[in-house]
Amino acid sequence: MIKDLTQGSPAAVLWKFSIPMFISVIFQQMYNIADSVIAGKFAGEDALAAVGASYPITMIFMAIAVGSNIGCSVVISNLFGAREYKRMKTAVSTTLLASLALSVFLTVAGLIGTRALMRMVNTPENIFEDGALYLAIYVGGFTFLFLYNVATGIFTALGDSRTPLYFLIGSSLGNIALDYIFVRYFQWGVAGVAWATFIAQGIACVLAVWTVIFRLRDVPTDGKAPLFSFHMLQRIAVIAIPSILQQSFISVGNIFIQGIVNSYGSSVIAGYSAAVKLNTFALTSFTTLGNGISNFTAQNLGAGKPDRVRQGFRAGAMMTLLVAVPFFVAYFVFGKQMIFLFMTSDSGKALETGVEFLHIISPFYFAICIKLMADGVLRGGGAMKEFMVATFSDLILRVILAFIFSGLWQETGIWLSWPLGWVVAAIMSIVFYKRGVWMRQLKSC
């Protein structure tokens, strides 16, 4: 199932490669949303708020895993496109070993600091204990989450977007089933939600890593590839660290925003929690397609085919815009029905908050789509400085405006900060793409 992305029609290759990745996101976000739906429906509004209050903290851990996924994926894609299979195998084993060590360290640190992190985001006392419990169980399974994401990055780097899809389908369905059983029948509340994710992610991780190791045995090399290389780790880190920082800074920014949201009480937290899960569904879908462009770019630059990258960008932009349409319609036109999935009929303020958030941000999905496609090319070409400038501009502007606007228009002002940050960052990313800064990496690929 390893696939060369440097041959065939760029549009056709990219669509065929990206569609399984998009379906994977659907299943991944299904069980993320299921956590909140089941918590809100069967454990109450406070349980939904507790899961939501810890959400931006869990996203910091996810950011590290996703950034590592991107770093290894770009490097492995580039080596695969250049037909350097021995070095590619070393990159894979180096990534897995380094990821294991880093994830264990972060798990220990996270477990020690769980309660302090929950205090940092101003978690209300009525949901503090449940929120801290959920976070502790989540962090306890971080090694599974980390290694699974890295394995997914390796698969996509080799042009295989189907195998991660199969694992995600199984993991998602298993997680939803366990959510329902643990919360509805065992009455475990938010702990049941967390343990369901822990178990499902653990099984998927073991199977994914084993499959990566087994799959690479069939790739021919001249001699045995070294298991670990500091030089290769450094090359991966050049892409991974900026990607981790980008993902982490966004999560840190979301923590600041969550801290503002938490000051308005558990009803607003619950409404924001539901809406931001839906918003994350959309953004993760767009981002995943952008990651597909990164793999496509890296392989084709490795093969010395920059013209295919330009064609891929145009095809990817059209693809994400088409994906954005149903999200916009669902959230802008049917926002109340979408938020109501998480709540009961007596959740008045929470329902109003969630609907308002979706109405404000969903029209700007089309701008963020184009930005993420341009970012995918920048990242795949190793233009990390420009990639980080555009991303951090969005983050900094969004956080600053959230503080300013909340003083003027209460929680509504927080939601207004999102589209302004997106539009400015989108303009910057498109300018960098048009300037061709990603091309300067061609000679080193």
Side-chain angles (χ1 to χ4, degrees), residues 9-250:
S9 166
V13 167
L14 192 58
W15 275 87
K16 189 174 182 180
F17 175 62
S18 298
I19 287 174
M21 296 175 67
F22 176 64
I23 297 173
S24 296
V25 170
I26 292 175
F27 278 93
Q28 184 180 45
Q29 293 305 312
M30 271 177 53
Y31 79 69
N32 284 338
I33 290 174
D35 285 352
S36 294
V37 170
I38 293 172
K41 288 289 188 181
F42 299 114
E45 184 178 296
D46 282 355
L48 173 61
V51 173
S54 63
Y55 183 67
I57 301 172
T58 65
M59 290 307 293
I60 290 183
F61 289 90
M62 176 63 81
I64 298 171
V66 171
S68 299
N69 169 312
I70 294 169
C72 76
S73 183
V74 168
V75 172
I76 294 167
S77 289
N78 187 248
L79 294 171
F80 181 68
R83 309 294 191 270
E84 297 185 30
Y85 298 134
K86 185 174 181 179
R87 296 180 65 204
M88 182 192 74
K89 285 189 174 183
T90 298
V92 170
S93 56
T94 297
T95 298
L96 290 174
L97 291 172
S99 298
L100 177 61
L102 179 59
S103 64
V104 170
F105 171 78
L106 290 173
T107 296
V108 174
L111 289 173
I112 293 173
T114 294
R115 298 180 71 84
L117 290 169
M118 293 300 293
R119 293 290 183 196
M120 186 175 66
V121 295
N122 300 320
T123 306
E125 288 300 324
N126 63 310
I127 61 172
F128 181 87
E129 292 300 329
D130 277 347
L133 176 60
Y134 177 88
L135 182 60
I137 298 171
Y138 179 94
V139 172
F142 179 62
T143 296
F144 295 139
L145 174 70
F146 199 122
L147 290 178
Y148 173 77
N149 272 273
V150 167
T152 298
I154 294 169
F155 284 126
T156 55
L158 301 177
D160 177 10
S161 54
R162 292 186 181 183
T163 299
L165 169 61
Y166 301 147
F167 286 130
L168 257 178
I169 290 174
S171 176
S172 301
L173 295 178
N175 190 34
I176 293 170
L178 290 174
D179 267 337
Y180 188 77
I181 293 169
F182 290 166
V183 177
R184 178 71 185 274
Y185 294 106
F186 289 6
Q187 300 292 308
W188 287 358
V190 295
V193 173
W195 279 117
T197 301
F198 183 105
I199 294 170
Q201 193 73 67
I203 295 172
C205 168
V206 172
L207 292 175
V209 172
W210 180 85
T211 303
V212 165
I213 295 171
F214 181 80
R215 186 77 53 79
L216 287 177
R217 290 178 180 175
D218 296 331
V219 178
T221 57
D222 182 18
K224 187 176 181 180
L227 282 177
F228 188 85
S229 165
F230 282 104
H231 174 74
M232 190 62 69
L233 180 61
Q234 182 180 22
R235 182 174 175 180
I236 293 169
V238 168
I239 305 296
I241 290 176
S243 298
I244 290 172
L245 289 175
Q246 177 244 351
Q247 298 284 336
S248 299
F249 272 56
I250 290 174

Side-chain angles (χ1 to χ4, degrees), residues 296-314:
F296 181 86
T297 299
Q299 278 202 24
N300 281 282
L301 288 182
K305 299 179 179 181
D307 288 341
R308 287 176 59 82
V309 175
R310 297 186 183 92
Q311 296 174 52
F313 171 78
R314 290 191 292 270

